[in-house]
Amino acid sequence: MQGAAAKFRKSASLIILARDKAAQNPDFKALLFKRPPQATFMPNSAVFPGGVFEASDETPLWRKHFEKMGATKQLVALTEEPKGKKSVIFQNNNPEAIEREISLRIAAIREAFEELGVIFCRDRKSLASGVGEGYGNFREDFDRNHWQKLVHNDSTKFLELCEALEIVPDLWSLHQWSNWFTPTTFKKRFNTAFFMIALKDVPDVIKENNEVTDFAWRTPAEYLQQHFTKEIWLPPPQIYELSRLLNFTQLEDVKNFALQRRHEGLDVTLPIEYKCKDARVNLLPGDDLYAVENSKTEMPVLEKTAKQFREGVKNIHRIEFYGPNDAVLRLNFELPHGHIGPINANPKKRD
């Protein structure tokens, strides 16, 4: 997988969950935005905020800024995670760059600010009191429109913003969640680290008009329902991660789950695509038929239905696409590294 990873552009995405004080079951909503039709990757899709990892996200100047703000001990604690399996995206052989546990989180926070005008951060006071209980912090009392435009046009301005406001990105509230690779059948391929952040309050969003046509706060179930009724279109990672969140009804439980498994590490999720008679099937890690060496730039065509492709397979982990808005998730075993599996929400259960 290490060699294959070199062919994918590194990126970071952020699953932003905020408590909905007017709701109980679930008591949280997720923030997604819609890509414009002219987007070069996944146009018109509803996605979590995120984007390409930049050199400015891993400059040693960040470490100097964190040290100046008195965050040295917190950084050391962060880079000790995870103690379990370290996904390939967190491996870095550049001795001059800061650790990927830091830089990928910076990238996710920067992209969220570029796209939606929300900055997750901590000041000296909050750093001095510790990294807290796992909930995120954000700040809105500055000229966000001005800085959002600057950072969007030049990623190096994000460090300047943090220096000017005397804040640091709130790395400690971003919890490792998953690591998705774009299937090799796509021309543009990304190696994306997904983080989750939990918020006690809903931040005010300022959308960046070139990258964002619309945004919404909805429950995971509402997004999935909209996908299945063709009101929106969700890419496979969004379908999977929203379906995984169906296991939770309380934001506190999601946050605690992420904290408890933060040392466990992650598996890379590289979907391996097959074309069956009635569906496109993405095999996922742990499926008995899953093998990275079977990942091709051209999708293999099988003279089988998706059901026939499952016959005789003991361990099943896959997504079956019967149409653009008709996906069925199948998993019949416990995932490794303490992670939780998705719940299939498609009303068309299929055989």
Side-chain angles (χ1 to χ4, degrees):
M1 185 62 75
Q2 180 72 50
K7 301 177 182 179
F8 295 74
R9 295 187 70 184
K10 297 178 185 65
S11 64
S13 287
L14 191 52
I15 302 172
I16 303 173
L17 307 178
R19 178 166 291 139
D20 181 357
K21 296 178 180 178
Q24 293 183 345
N25 188 15
D27 72 347
F28 65 90
K29 292 184 177 180
L31 176 60
L32 268 69
F33 73 85
K34 185 179 180 182
R35 291 186 185 276
Q38 68 272 19
T40 59
F41 187 73
M42 298 292 181
N44 296 310
S45 60
V47 297
F48 300 115
V52 174
F53 179 79
E54 302 286 358
S56 61
D57 298 322
E58 62 178 356
T59 172
L61 295 175
W62 275 110
R63 183 173 289 282
K64 292 183 178 180
H65 178 60
F66 278 102
E67 291 173 352
K68 182 180 179 181
M69 292 291 294
T72 304
K73 290 182 179 179
Q74 291 93 327
L75 280 186
V76 171
L78 184 68
T79 55
E80 290 177 346
E81 302 175 12
K83 296 178 181 177
K85 183 172 182 179
K86 195 169 187 176
S87 184
V88 64
I89 196 170
F90 290 99
Q91 298 172 16
N92 187 3
N93 297 322
N94 182 357
E96 297 182 1
I98 59 175
E99 294 88 342
R100 285 277 164 76
E101 286 82 3
I102 299 171
S103 59
L104 283 167
R105 285 173 166 86
I106 291 173
I109 292 172
R110 173 183 55 76
E111 284 287 343
F113 180 67
E114 287 185 27
E115 295 165 337
L116 299 168
V118 180
I119 186 167
F120 302 109
C121 60
R122 290 180 179 270
D123 56 19
R124 280 193 174 88
K125 182 179 179 180
S126 64
L127 284 169
S129 61
V131 295
E133 55 188 342
Y135 284 102
N137 297 268
F138 57 89
R139 182 169 170 179
E140 299 176 339
D141 60 340
F142 64 100
D143 191 346
R144 289 190 289 152
N145 286 287
H146 168 74
W147 279 104
Q148 182 185 33
K149 184 176 180 181
L150 286 179
V151 176
H152 181 267
N153 294 334
D154 182 357
S155 64
T156 65
K157 298 296 183 182
F158 189 56
L159 176 55
E160 290 186 25
L161 165 61
C162 292
E163 291 173 332
L165 295 182
E166 295 189 326
I167 58 174
V168 296
D170 186 9
L171 313 179
W172 306 273
S173 298
L174 268 65
H175 311 298
Q176 274 192 35
W177 195 255
S178 58
N179 180 194
W180 284 81
F181 278 42
T182 310
T184 55
T185 52
F186 284 68
K187 291 183 178 180
K188 296 187 73 171
R189 303 167 190 167
F190 295 92
N191 174 7
T192 306
F194 281 78
F195 298 94
M196 186 277 291
I197 187 169
L199 307 173
K200 291 183 177 180
D201 300 292
V202 177
D204 178 49
V205 172
I206 301 174
K207 72 182 183 74
E208 202 289 315
N209 291 323
N210 293 309
E211 293 192 55
V212 180
T213 59
D214 197 8
F215 69 91
W217 290 95
R218 296 193 176 96
T219 67
E222 288 170 339
Y223 282 123
L224 291 165
Q225 181 182 18
Q226 286 189 316
H227 174 79
F228 294 131
T229 56
K230 301 182 180 180
E231 296 174 62
I232 62 173
W233 185 78
L234 297 167
Q238 273 69 18
I239 295 174
Y240 192 98
E241 300 304 348
L242 289 168
S243 299
R244 198 188 322 245
L245 289 169
L246 295 177
N247 288 282
F248 304 95
T249 60
Q250 303 296 307
L251 184 60
E252 179 77 6
D253 293 338
V254 186
K255 185 263 297 181
N256 286 340
F257 171 78
L259 284 174
Q260 290 166 5
R261 68 161 304 277
R262 67 186 184 275
H263 296 300
E264 298 291 334
L266 295 172
D267 265 332
V268 168
T269 302
L270 169 62
I272 298 178
E273 298 197 303
Y274 289 88
K275 180 69 174 71
C276 292
K277 287 183 176 181
D278 58 344
R280 176 170 55 89
V281 178
N282 280 12
L283 299 184
L284 303 176
D287 193 290
D288 285 345
L289 300 183
Y290 184 88
V292 173
E293 58 268 24
N294 291 339
S295 185
K296 310 295 183 183
T297 55
E298 297 292 333
M299 194 183 310
V301 178
L302 304 178
E303 291 300 316
K304 296 181 179 181
T305 64
K307 181 180 180 181
Q308 290 171 334
F309 193 33
R310 274 182 266 122
E311 291 177 353
V313 180
K314 180 181 178 182
N315 297 302
I316 295 175
H317 188 199
R318 55 186 70 180
I319 311 175
E320 298 169 351
F321 299 94
Y322 295 89
N325 292 78
D326 189 2
V328 177
L329 280 69
R330 300 190 188 276
L331 174 66
N332 64 358
F333 58 89
E334 289 189 8
L335 294 176
H337 313 300
H339 223 321
I340 196 164
I343 295 175
N344 181 55
N346 191 336
K348 299 177 182 178
K349 300 296 183 183
R350 301 186 182 274
D351 294 329

